[in-house]
Amino acid sequence: MCSIHTVIPHPLFCCCYETLNGKCLALRTNITSFSKAMSENGALPLRGKVLTLDTMNANVKKVDYAVRGPIVQRAVQIEKELKEGVKKPFEEVIKANIGDAHAMGQRPITFFRQVMALCTYPQLLDDNKFPEDAKNRARRILQSCGGNSIGAYTTSQGIDCVRHDVANYIQRRDGGIPSDPDNIYLTTGASDGIVTILKLLTTGEGRTRTGVMISIPQYPLYSASIAELGAVQINYYLNEEKCWSLDISELQRSLQAAREHCNPCVLCIINPGNPTGQVQSRQCIEDVIRFAAKENLFLMADEVYQDNVYAEGCAFHSFKKVLFEMGPEYSSKVELASFHSTSKCYMGECGFRGGYMEVMNMDPEVKAQLTKLVSVRLCPPAPGQALMDLVVNSPQPGEPSYQTFMKERTAVLSALAEKAKLTEEILNTVPGISCNPVQGAMYSFPRITLPERSINEAKAKGQAPDMFYCMKLLEETGICLVPGSGFGQREGTYHFRMTILPPTDKLKIMLNKLKEFHQKFTQQYS
Amino acid sequence: SLSAKVSAGRLNGKMREKTLTMDTLNPQVKAVEYAVRGPIVIKAGEIEKYLEEGGTKPFSEVIKANIGDAHAMGQQPITFLRQVVALCTFPELMDSPSFPEDAKWRARRILQGCGGHSLGSYSASPGVECIRKDIAAYIEQRDEGVPSDWENIYLTTGASDGIMTILRLLVSGKDSSRTGVMIPIPQYPLYSAAISEMDAVQVNYYLDEDNCWALDINELYRAYQAAKLHCQPKVICIINPGNPTGQVQSKKCIEEVLHFAYEENLFVMSDEVYQDNVYTPDCQFHSFKKVLYEMGPEYFNSVELASFHSTSKGYTGECGFRGGYMEVINMDPEVKAQLVKLLSVRLCPPLAGQAAMDVIVNPPQPDEHSYKQFHQEKSSVLGALADKAKLTEQILNAVPGIKCNPVQGAMYAFPRIFIPPKAVEEAKALGMQPDMFYCLRLLEETGICVVPGSGFGQKDGTYHFRMTILPSIEKLKVLLGKVRDFHISFLKEYSALE
């Protein structure tokens, strides 16, 4: 090649080097002609991919998220086929897999969208079709934004006035127990807050690796995050016979077993539950708090369905409230993070990715680390923050928008309550299906009895038996549900999770189709 | 002190020990630093509060020139963009005569792509399909016909989200096989923060300050070779136009980088969020994708490249919406499936941000009603930025002891400052970086908040700060004047002559 001695010899870079003052001046051939020359000579360098299944982050491979997993991908494919005119035994796919209310026809709350529009396009503040209470809230939010624009970054913890409003809401909700705005962090949906807290907590190696206690069944964000962070998943089983209630003895058992191989330091609860819908009793929440205090566990309370309580005799008790009512011995000690979201309840504003977490009794130095960590992503979406403000600062009696707001809110929640009851009733008339009361949240999680033959066929295919069932259901009826294996369940039991979100008439049709399918399936594989 | 902690922990004679302490906290989180919102900004916030509560300082306001947030500094949103997003948010406005038809049909189109025709539905995890298609069309047009497949487009929660997601896929291995990530010095500290959090290995390659912050291929090679001794370099990150430096890389330079990545088997991450912020007439934005294509099929069909864009910069400055996208080419199909799976856990990026991005890639055309106003607003923003870029460079270069490279693009100046040895000593005695010491003094004396160069990385023994060019031109002149006065007095104070 080149006769001039080089500082950094590299055969492919250049034909000829010169050095000047020790710095290499590469005189190289034109890159494109080099490439062309290579191809022409047939001397194509073999270039494998940098990023393959073998070289990628192994933890990512372990992640599963059934709610948008393989069955949903198939459902989307079928939808495309229907659009292209392919004939199926049904006309439409019913996506009862995900807690997305608007997608199933639920309407947004008018007042919320008015304020959001005013924040987005403040010229509308001059439009007399917008009520004054909406305008006041929009002005207040905008005043708290940089340059009075929701296009500015907010502080990483979230817009100040929104955090104050969230704190006030929590205080009102919890019968006056004080809430400090400084403990409030706005988040990009509740998922964001949950993952952030888990990041802080995950540490150690081998036997000292952080163990995270999660309910079985659970919302698979938890198992997915645990897998990605390389933490240790610790399962505690909810009691299906007792309406999915939480058993302290089961918590104890699971903790003890886990201590053999990891360092359990966090306990996650979803109340009201997902996928089970159970609303924990106050006594149960107290017992859990006592357990967490005794065993030095950081408590994570996922309360995104706090307004979705339907069953008589059930009521939502926030972990924070119960904690404080247990007295200073607990309220000043137990580390608790509680999560809320704009995606559920009566708002159903999933797409805005609004959420918050309230963090109690966090070590101040760790809190500073938390604030630092969230600062790297700058801030949660400002529209989602604005929306959360409206949720916690909704129209009050006497305000112009109050009546319409209450009407809409009540309509949504009562429809959900009806559908919860309807779902439970119809499913329980199906031989081989047993459905616990849907006390809250947005799902039913019925137990299904599967014929032995179907279980064997599934296993032969390398499929979970309830996945096999759900796939068949999808192909034959167009109904998309998520198999219980995606959430976790006791060995040898099978379930599916179905939302109660489709409009009542569609829901009835869906449930009856399900009934027919189950009977047919049972017969087919008997 | 430990004993104080212990006595604070006693209650009813029981030891109160927190589960989550600095000892039990994820050490990777502890390692993370993000200077753009770091200690100096926290201090600036404290001073702001102090002023609000009636405290007196040698200045009446804090000027936050630390962060690339245009609206916070008074830049106005693009009317058309806000109209479309408002229509999407509150579709009742479709009946309003005060909204133009071209905004309405865009809003209708976006809503049709949403579940239940509502911005409140989750979208598919890679984003609304029609928006992905619009982005692909935009990229094809921008790159003069280089094909773009909409299925390679992923909407993200700001560009930061996409960057972190790709890094998460890439980081693997242990000890000497641990993934090395090549990043420019100076860099935007999202990269170093992500690397710390993921416990990857940071591999620095120095940009050439004497050559207007150009990328030197020999320096890339040096960094790579040195890194191979202790890690497995797998990815190279480039920011073009640069942050904090503002340099706009030449086409030749981009070619060299791509060739290097091809030869050394590196995944290329090209952060192009400032692609619309190019001010110097003899500079031009060349997308990595386009250059790769022009290098021929051998390169174009093999180099794994992820390119990032955002709604936060450019001429729209919509930071709060957290809109962004990435285009990922030549990714192994099995890895792609893993990527989609990973994205699905967080469900989807915010719909308002997706809508904003759609307007950016599908703006009013010359034959449309809103074009005139749109074009005027866009030109006004970009023209002002170009003016401010030039002004900043000029004024700073007139200060003895400050040297500022031309601000070719982006939104920042990153001048080199001479800090007298006595000041360096005093800083070190305080346990502080010398440029942090300087910037804190600047903040305390003038209210101006900038970020020390140590937050971005710089050659040993050199000092810089990053300031934005975003304040209004009047305010910017005042700011620069104050910086000049401060620097001169700082030099005097710490001069070697007694």
Side-chain angles (χ1 to χ4, degrees):
Chain A
M1 273 199 139
C2 182
S3 59
I4 300 174
H5 185 65
T6 65
V7 174
I8 315 164
H10 189 270
L12 286 168
F13 255 125
C14 21
C15 278
C16 213
Y17 294 82
E18 271 182 10
T19 60
L20 185 71
N21 301 330
K23 204 175 163 205
C24 174
L25 298 174
L27 305 169
R28 65 186 71 76
T29 58
N30 180 275
I31 300 282
T32 48
S33 63
F34 160 76
S35 151
K36 203 157 161 269
M38 288 294 279
S39 323
E40 278 166 1
N41 293 340
L44 287 174
L46 262 173
R47 191 182 186 275
K49 294 227 182 269
V50 179
L51 190 52
T52 65
L53 280 189
D54 292 329
T55 62
M56 71 175 281
N57 181 342
N59 286 350
V60 170
K61 283 189 279 191
K62 298 185 194 141
V63 166
D64 280 314
Y65 183 68
V67 176
R68 281 204 154 172
I71 195 159
V72 183
Q73 286 166 1
R74 177 68 193 136
V76 169
Q77 213 178 357
I78 292 176
E79 267 178 328
K80 284 214 160 91
E81 289 171 15
L82 280 171
K83 243 192 201 157
E84 288 157 14
V86 177
K87 278 246 173 291
K88 299 264 173 195
F90 48 85
E91 283 171 359
E92 63 165 335
V93 170
I94 304 178
K95 295 257 217 26
N97 59 292
I98 188 168
D100 185 346
H102 291 199
M104 301 311 286
Q106 182 178 305
R107 312 286 294 142
I109 299 292
T110 305
F111 183 77
F112 292 174
R113 293 303 187 91
Q114 285 174 328
V115 178
M116 300 295 292
L118 288 160
C119 289
T120 301
Y121 193 58
Q123 286 88 326
L124 291 170
L125 289 165
D126 296 326
D127 185 329
N128 56 22
K129 282 195 225 75
F130 284 82
E132 207 49 45
D133 47 6
K135 291 183 177 179
N136 287 337
R137 277 171 183 73
R139 275 187 211 107
R140 183 160 172 281
I141 290 166
L142 288 176
Q143 257 152 43
S144 212
C145 294
N148 294 355
S149 165
I150 54 167
Y153 288 122
T154 74
T155 65
S156 302
Q157 221 172 313
I159 299 170
D160 257 12
C161 78
V162 178
R163 291 189 294 117
H164 275 86
D165 290 347
V166 169
N168 286 339
Y169 160 81
I170 292 171
Q171 199 162 313
R172 282 192 317 268
R173 178 199 68 190
D174 293 347
I177 292 166
S179 175
D180 183 351
D182 210 45
N183 289 337
I184 309 291
Y185 289 78
L186 290 158
T187 56
T188 307
S191 301
D192 175 34
I194 290 162
V195 174
T196 300
I197 297 294
L198 286 174
K199 272 191 191 165
L200 294 179
L201 285 158
T202 302
T203 184
E205 247 181 82
R207 281 208 61 179
T208 66
R209 192 69 178 160
T210 294
V212 182
M213 297 182 71
I214 63 174
S215 60
I216 296 299
Q218 46 102 40
Y219 171 55
L221 165 71
Y222 292 90
S223 47
S225 306
I226 289 165
E228 202 198 323
L229 293 169
V232 179
Q233 181 172 324
I234 302 170
N235 297 338
Y236 66 86
Y237 290 81
L238 299 176
N239 192 339
E240 184 160 19
E241 273 74 55
K242 285 213 193 122
C243 210
W244 297 115
S245 66
L246 218 156
D247 235 323
I248 293 299
S249 57
E250 168 56 16
L251 280 185
Q252 195 69 62
R253 175 212 64 78
S254 127
L255 177 67
Q256 222 121 290
R259 283 205 166 120
E260 305 282 311
H261 63 269
C262 70
N263 179 25
C265 50
V266 52
L267 171 56
C268 302
I269 320 249
I270 311 172
N271 182 51
N274 177 0
T276 57
Q278 94 281 14
V279 178
Q280 297 297 353
S281 69
R282 196 187 181 292
Q283 183 60 55
C284 177
I285 295 172
E286 252 193 57
D287 292 343
V288 170
I289 292 171
R290 206 166 278 122
F291 176 79
K294 176 163 161 274
E295 306 294 348
N296 255 63
L297 300 169
F298 190 109
L299 258 178
M300 291 176 65
D302 180 342
E303 300 175 331
V304 304
Y305 298 100
Q306 55 190 265
D307 291 336
N308 301 108
V309 175
Y310 316 124
E312 275 214 35
C314 287
F316 170 71
H317 303 280
S318 76
F319 265 74
K320 163 110 179 285
K321 176 159 172 263
V322 177
L323 177 67
F324 271 71
E325 288 172 349
M326 288 167 73
E329 187 192 339
Y330 294 94
S331 62
S332 63
K333 171 186 164 164
V334 175
E335 292 146 271
L336 167 69
S338 310
F339 305 90
H340 197 16
S341 166
T342 61
S343 305
K344 314 297 176 188
C345 296
Y346 62 91
M347 306 82 71
E349 296 285 11
C350 308
F352 281 91
R353 314 314 284 113
Y356 75 72
M357 59 185 176
E358 183 184 26
V359 182
M360 298 303 305
N361 296 319
M362 186 174 265
D363 176 298
E365 287 182 285
V366 173
K367 197 156 176 287
Q369 293 288 317
L370 166 61
T371 304
K372 179 188 75 173
L373 189 62
V374 301
S375 79
V376 179
R377 299 294 292 274
L378 292 147
C379 71
Q385 297 188 44
L387 187 53
M388 184 52 93
D389 190 61
L390 303 172
V391 173
V392 300
N393 189 15
S394 56
Q396 293 302 298
E399 288 192 287
S401 305
Y402 179 71
Q403 275 191 341
T404 307
F405 167 75
M406 279 310 287
K407 188 160 152 256
E408 291 175 353
R409 180 182 190 271
T410 307
V412 168
L413 290 176
S414 59
L416 285 170
E418 266 177 47
K419 295 188 282 184
K421 195 107 199 86
L422 183 79
T423 301
E424 180 199 337
E425 278 168 0
I426 294 183
L427 287 177
N428 277 322
T429 66
V430 185
I433 298 188
S434 163
C435 186
N436 267 328
V438 176
Q439 295 178 337
M442 291 178 173
Y443 317 95
S444 64
F445 195 67
R447 174 124 167 233
I448 49 178
T449 306
L450 297 178
E452 194 74 36
R453 268 186 56 205
S454 77
I455 295 174
N456 294 335
E457 190 165 323
K459 288 186 176 168
K461 276 185 162 180
Q463 239 178 359
D466 45 21
M467 172 64 94
F468 178 76
Y469 174 96
C470 290
M471 279 293 200
K472 280 246 179 253
L473 174 70
L474 173 63
E475 299 283 351
E476 289 177 30
T477 67
I479 299 168
C480 180
L481 310 176
V482 191
S485 42
F487 302 86
Q489 57 205 347
R490 275 202 190 277
E491 187 80 42
T493 67
Y494 308 104
H495 304 76
F496 61 72
R497 188 189 82 165
M498 178 192 119
T499 70
I500 57 169
L501 297 174
T504 306
D505 335 280
K506 208 170 239 181
L507 187 67
K508 283 187 184 150
I509 294 171
M510 197 177 98
L511 289 165
N512 285 306
K513 281 194 171 187
L514 192 54
K515 183 172 180 166
E516 274 171 39
F517 168 83
H518 190 86
Q519 290 168 325
K520 189 166 145 245
F521 184 88
T522 305
Q523 222 161 7
Q524 190 182 349
Y525 286 94
S526 65
Chain B
S1 74
L2 181 60
S3 60
K5 279 187 190 162
V6 165
S7 41
R10 290 204 181 279
L11 181 72
N12 299 336
K14 290 190 211 156
M15 267 304 282
R16 197 202 322 151
E17 247 180 46
K18 290 207 186 280
T19 301
L20 188 53
T21 64
M22 288 302 278
D23 291 329
T24 61
L25 173 71
N26 181 344
Q28 281 145 230
V29 171
K30 275 190 279 194
V32 165
E33 274 162 5
Y34 183 67
V36 175
R37 282 208 154 166
I40 196 159
V41 184
I42 293 170
K43 184 81 185 129
E46 287 167 14
I47 294 175
E48 262 178 332
K49 274 215 165 82
Y50 177 75
L51 285 172
E52 254 165 52
E53 286 157 12
T56 36
K57 288 274 178 192
F59 46 87
S60 55
E61 66 165 336
V62 170
I63 304 180
K64 293 260 215 26
N66 58 293
I67 188 167
D69 185 343
H71 291 199
M73 302 311 286
Q75 182 179 305
Q76 293 299 298
I78 298 293
T79 305
F80 186 76
L81 189 149
R82 292 300 187 91
Q83 285 175 332
V84 175
V85 179
L87 286 160
C88 289
T89 300
F90 192 54
E92 283 83 330
L93 291 170
M94 298 282 189
D95 297 327
S96 165
S98 29
F99 285 80
E101 200 49 49
D102 47 11
K104 289 180 181 177
W105 81 251
R106 275 173 182 75
R108 268 184 223 114
R109 185 157 170 281
I110 291 168
L111 289 177
Q112 258 152 39
C114 296
H117 296 183
S118 166
L119 226 53
S121 282
Y122 290 121
S123 72
S125 301
V128 175
E129 190 174 304
C130 73
I131 299 178
R132 294 167 75 194
K133 289 181 169 163
D134 288 349
I135 292 171
Y138 161 83
I139 292 172
E140 273 189 26
Q141 202 201 35
R142 179 199 69 191
D143 293 347
E144 289 167 354
V146 176
S148 178
D149 180 352
W150 68 271
E151 292 189 278
N152 288 335
I153 310 286
Y154 299 86
L155 281 138
T156 56
T157 306
S160 301
D161 174 37
I163 289 163
M164 293 212 59
T165 302
I166 297 295
L167 286 173
R168 275 152 72 200
L169 289 178
L170 281 158
V171 177
S172 68
K174 252 182 129 169
D175 305 320
S176 65
S177 72
R178 192 71 179 159
T179 297
V181 182
M182 298 184 71
I183 65 173
I185 296 300
Q187 46 104 34
Y188 172 55
L190 164 71
Y191 292 91
S192 47
I195 290 165
S196 293
E197 199 195 307
M198 295 177 207
D199 204 21
V201 179
Q202 181 170 325
V203 177
N204 296 337
Y205 66 87
Y206 290 82
L207 299 176
D208 190 352
E209 184 160 19
D210 297 327
N211 205 358
C212 211
W213 297 114
L215 217 153
D216 185 356
I217 196 70
N218 299 297
E219 168 56 16
L220 273 192
Y221 193 62
R222 176 212 64 76
Y224 175 80
Q225 292 291 66
K228 264 170 77 173
L229 301 173
H230 64 273
C231 72
Q232 193 171 334
K234 238 157 81 181
V235 47
I236 176 163
C237 303
I238 321 236
I239 310 171
N240 182 51
N243 178 0
T245 56
Q247 94 280 14
V248 178
Q249 297 298 349
S250 67
K251 183 165 186 277
K252 178 161 172 284
C253 179
I254 295 172
E255 259 187 40
E256 289 176 357
V257 172
L258 288 166
H259 181 67
F260 172 77
Y262 175 92
E263 290 308 328
E264 308 301 345
N265 255 61
L266 299 170
F267 190 110
V268 181
M269 291 176 64
S270 166
D271 180 341
E272 300 175 332
V273 303
Y274 297 100
Q275 55 189 266
D276 287 332
N277 301 107
V278 175
Y279 313 126
T280 317
D282 51 353
C283 288
Q284 203 191 323
F285 171 72
H286 302 281
S287 76
F288 265 67
K289 172 129 171 279
K290 177 157 172 262
V291 176
L292 188 66
Y293 179 81
E294 290 169 351
M295 289 166 74
E298 178 52 35
Y299 291 88
F300 187 63
N301 295 328
S302 67
V303 173
E304 291 143 271
L305 168 67
S307 310
F308 304 89
H309 198 15
S310 166
T311 61
S312 305
K313 314 299 175 185
Y315 58 91
T316 52
E318 297 286 9
C319 307
F321 279 89
R322 314 314 285 111
Y325 74 73
M326 57 184 177
E327 182 183 25
V328 184
I329 62 170
N330 297 320
M331 184 174 263
D332 177 295
E334 288 183 293
V335 174
K336 200 160 181 279
Q338 293 288 319
L339 168 61
V340 173
K341 180 187 74 173
L342 195 62
L343 293 171
S344 77
V345 181
R346 300 296 291 274
L347 292 147
C348 70
L351 268 289
Q354 295 193 45
M357 185 52 93
D358 191 57
V359 178
I360 290 173
V361 300
N362 191 11
Q365 293 305 299
D367 60 338
E368 291 187 286
H369 171 88
S370 302
Y371 179 75
K372 197 161 162 221
Q373 184 179 4
F374 166 79
H375 185 75
Q376 188 241 312
E377 289 175 356
K378 178 182 177 186
S379 309
S380 162
V381 167
L382 291 176
L385 285 170
D387 289 344
K388 293 187 282 186
K390 194 106 200 87
L391 182 80
T392 302
E393 180 199 335
Q394 279 170 353
I395 294 183
L396 288 176
N397 274 322
V399 182
I402 297 189
K403 179 171 188 310
C404 186
N405 267 327
V407 177
Q408 296 177 339
M411 290 178 172
Y412 316 96
F414 195 68
R416 173 120 170 237
I417 50 177
F418 173 72
I419 297 183
K422 270 180 71 183
V424 173
E425 270 167 45
E426 189 165 327
K428 291 190 172 162
L430 288 169
M432 235 189 260
Q433 291 290 339
D435 47 20
M436 173 62 95
F437 176 71
Y438 176 97
C439 290
L440 277 169
R441 285 286 302 270
L442 175 70
L443 174 62
E444 290 283 356
E445 289 178 26
T446 66
I448 298 167
C449 179
V450 299
V451 190
S454 43
F456 302 87
Q458 57 205 346
K459 277 214 163 87
D460 247 338
T462 67
Y463 310 106
H464 304 77
F465 65 75
R466 187 191 81 165
M467 70 169 255
T468 70
I469 58 167
L470 297 174
S472 65
I473 207 151
E474 304 78 42
K475 214 168 229 178
L476 190 66
K477 285 184 183 153
V478 170
L479 190 161
L480 290 164
K482 286 188 171 192
V483 169
R484 179 191 54 225
D485 295 342
F486 168 83
H487 191 84
I488 291 170
S489 94
F490 187 86
L491 286 181
K492 236 188 233 170
E493 185 184 338
Y494 289 96
S495 72
L497 307 162
E498 300 296 30

